[in-house]
Amino acid sequence: MSDIISLTAAELGAAIKAGETSSEEATAAYLGRIDAVDDQIGAFLHVGRESALEQARAVDARIAAGEELGPLAGVPVAHKDVFSTKDMPTTAASKILEGWRPPYDATVTARLREAGMVILGKTNMDEFAMGSSTENSAYQVTRNPWDTGRIPGGSSGGSSAAVAAFEAPLATGTDTGGSIRQPAAVCGLVGAKPTYGGSSRYGMIAFASSLDTPGPFARNVLDAALLHEAFSGHDPHDSTSIDAPVPPVVEAARSGEIEGLRVGVVKELDSDGFQAGVRQRFHESLELLESLGAKIVEVSCPSFDAALSAYYLIAPSECSSNLARFDAMRYGLRVGDDGTRSAEEVMSLTRAQGFGPEVKRRIMLGTYALSSGYYDAYYGSAQQVRTLIKRDFDAAFGSVDVLVSPTTPTTAFPIGERTEDPMAMYLADLCTIPTNLAGNAALSVPCGLAPEDNLPVGLQIMAPALADDRTYRVAAAVERALADRDGALLARSPYAVGA
Ligand code: GLN
């Protein structure tokens, strides 16, 4: 069993295709691993044991019948609970959707199935994807496999923890302000935020529609690229989906060639206030990139300093509008409907009980920012900052191919440390948010462990819209060079298998 689990997703897909193992065997091995460790990690909200084994047997039959399937056919995947799945509950970790079963699959879900992948279950997250630690889940705590006293990042923390604890070889996530890159960084994984519109939002429970982007988690760069390719691409069901081919991320991940590549270091995303070990590993990666033939230059993006403030007006504004649909009439929870109360009272009681404190804070902030008399001062000026950030990116990409920064200012923090201080929590996404506001591509790749706490550090690589392949190319170069130097990073985690 540990043999199967220690394979990369690419290797497992190849072994299944070659008949050396079966999807059923692989799925059973991962279900066994979930049984063995998820009590300690808490990554899954729902494990679809029977449906996973059924899907696995079905894909084994398709392969046996000679059907041509993609490179991940038969490979299990953990799926963030923000994606609609018609055969499993979908809650976005909120009480307001407890027990809800969607009538249809999200496009990302449907594409995983078309690729022959096996959905093991649904992973924990911050309620409606609002948070950076998964502590805002209405259901359970998820622990970081590197140190179970610490957070796995968020909002996609169940997905990052599942992959880091070898409970799944791959997982899906969504990134609105950093919710894939930040958990990937603090769990020692590769996590990518595709170009906005490069992956479909159809059937994904909306938080901030102009920012939400589905993307992959994996233990290595090639696996992330394979999953990225499997579920991305144009979707007529999503009006903001881009009608263009998926950038050649798999080819880039296999190549890793960066000779002559111009790499810009964003001055505004490297501060004295960051953890010393994070900065140390970041600066070492710059030397490493230079030794591999890249040209390193410093770049200034002055508007990035206002990104966090603009994000915390735009994202809550969109959330206040998106979450209006949870009205006690159409979905999930309904409180106090005893025949004596008006619809408005039922709605109000339901929303008071169904939403957690962070979600309520966002709805109130957003409603305020959008209210007449305040709209121009708050939402309007945040939109102007957004334009300035986009211009900073455009100017920078006029002279460099990619931009880099640390993914997060610190390594994984202790559970409970920031729950009483929303501002401290929001700062976890300082470096990731500019990319969401501009809509371009970015990825986090592990760049070592911080010497002071032996916890993973992520290097963020940002590229222009639809140039996602560049982020994979640089990540592959870093991954290879570090493996040659230090060996496999995840092998040092207490929950590593094989490696
Ligand atoms: N942590 C950020 C927030 O709370 C980003 C969340 C996300 O990307 N979904 O809004």
Side-chain angles (χ1 to χ4, degrees):
M1 165 181 128
S2 79
D3 285 357
I4 284 181
I5 290 180
S6 62
L7 296 177
T8 69
E11 289 165 350
L12 180 57
I16 293 169
K17 187 163 277 178
E20 291 157 18
T21 184
S22 64
S23 179
E24 185 175 3
E25 205 175 344
T27 302
Y30 273 105
L31 290 170
R33 175 72 181 167
I34 293 171
D35 287 342
V37 304
D38 205 50
D39 277 355
Q40 299 138 58
I41 302 296
F44 285 89
L45 287 176
H46 175 85
V47 177
R49 185 170 306 280
E50 284 318 310
S51 65
L53 288 167
E54 230 169 77
Q55 290 169 64
R57 284 189 284 265
V59 73
D60 283 334
R62 283 164 75 185
I63 292 169
E67 203 177 314
E68 263 312 309
L69 290 165
L72 295 178
V75 175
V77 59
H79 205 20
K80 187 176 180 180
D81 200 33
V82 75
F83 292 105
S84 296
T85 43
K86 62 183 175 203
D87 56 350
M88 291 181 197
T90 301
T91 67
S94 181
K95 287 283 177 199
I96 213 156
L97 279 175
E98 188 157 22
W100 184 58
R101 294 214 174 219
Y104 65 98
D105 277 340
T107 296
V108 169
T109 306
R111 293 209 176 149
L112 296 176
R113 298 195 206 276
E114 282 157 26
M117 298 185 72
V118 173
I119 300 173
L120 292 168
K122 306 294 290 289
T123 57
N124 197 21
M125 55 185 282
D126 285 299
E127 184 177 4
F128 288 108
M130 297 169 199
S132 303
S133 67
T134 310
E135 291 164 295
N136 293 334
S137 166
Y139 297 98
Q140 68 195 35
V141 173
T142 299
R143 298 172 181 280
N144 189 318
W146 288 84
D147 175 347
T148 51
R150 293 179 187 258
I151 58 101
S155 64
S156 316
S159 287
S160 61
V163 177
F166 290 70
E167 295 175 74
L170 296 167
T172 59
T174 55
D175 192 313
T176 302
S179 283
I180 293 174
R181 288 161 288 162
Q182 183 259 6
V186 302
C187 285
L189 303 174
V190 179
K193 185 207 94 70
T195 298
Y196 177 79
S199 51
S200 171
R201 292 183 293 106
Y202 180 73
M204 184 204 134
I205 297 170
F207 162 15
S209 305
S210 77
L211 304 163
D212 296 342
T213 313
F217 283 99
R219 290 191 286 264
N220 67 75
V221 178
L222 177 61
D223 286 356
L226 288 167
L227 183 58
H228 183 137
E229 190 178 71
F231 66 62
S232 301
H234 183 236
D235 176 16
H237 291 311
D238 172 356
S239 61
T240 57
S241 168
I242 300 174
D243 192 0
V246 179
V249 291
V250 173
E251 193 189 309
R254 288 193 202 278
S255 145
E257 176 58 55
I258 58 162
E259 178 71 45
L261 196 87
R262 297 162 305 167
V263 175
V265 181
V266 186
K267 209 173 89 194
E268 288 77 9
L269 300 183
D270 179 20
S271 142
D272 287 344
F274 291 6
Q275 187 178 324
V278 167
R279 295 196 74 201
Q280 184 187 330
R281 292 303 180 218
F282 172 63
H283 286 276
E284 281 171 19
S285 341
L286 299 179
E287 284 164 27
L288 193 72
L289 290 170
E290 198 159 32
S291 75
L292 296 170
K295 292 193 192 58
I296 311 289
V297 293
E298 195 183 81
V299 166
S300 176
C301 295
S303 305
F304 286 16
D305 288 340
L308 195 73
S309 313
Y311 173 87
Y312 276 100
L313 289 166
I314 293 169
S317 296
E318 294 187 18
C319 125
S320 71
S321 152
N322 271 325
L323 271 57
R325 66 173 61 102
F326 302 104
D327 58 4
M329 302 297 140
R330 288 174 288 182
Y331 307 94
L333 191 69
R334 182 179 299 172
V335 179
D337 184 17
D338 58 6
T340 68
R341 293 190 174 88
S342 69
E344 202 177 347
E345 284 170 319
V346 171
M347 204 179 290
S348 160
L349 283 171
T350 303
R351 286 169 68 87
Q353 234 183 74
F355 289 138
E358 182 63 25
V359 173
K360 286 179 185 158
R361 176 170 16 246
R362 305 278 179 116
I363 293 174
M364 285 189 279
L365 271 172
T367 306
Y368 185 78
L370 290 176
S371 57
S372 72
Y374 295 102
Y375 183 94
D376 287 341
Y378 293 113
Y379 186 74
S381 40
Q383 289 291 22
Q384 285 170 337
V385 170
R386 191 170 187 177
T387 303
L388 294 177
I389 288 167
K390 175 125 186 8
R391 285 192 195 148
D392 278 358
F393 269 117
D394 290 345
F397 289 132
S399 59
V400 298
D401 301 301
V402 294
L403 292 168
V404 292
S405 77
T407 307
T408 56
T410 69
T411 55
F413 45 88
I415 289 172
E417 190 186 78
R418 302 193 189 177
T419 39
E420 300 306 315
D421 184 353
M423 192 58 201
M425 189 70 86
Y426 297 171
L427 284 171
D429 297 302
L430 192 69
C431 302
T432 47
I433 279 175
T435 301
N436 297 82
L437 291 171
N440 52 307
L443 174 151
S444 180
V445 66
C447 65
L449 302 182
E452 60 270 52
D453 53 21
N454 277 317
L455 292 169
V457 176
L459 168 70
Q460 177 177 228
I461 306 151
M462 298 163 272
L466 291 177
D468 305 49
D469 49 309
R470 288 185 206 167
T471 67
Y472 282 93
R473 185 175 290 273
V474 176
V478 170
E479 178 180 71
R480 237 169 267 168
L482 284 177
D484 288 347
R485 201 186 71 186
D486 307 336
L489 180 102
L490 268 170
R492 293 152 78 181
S493 153
Y495 280 82
V497 173

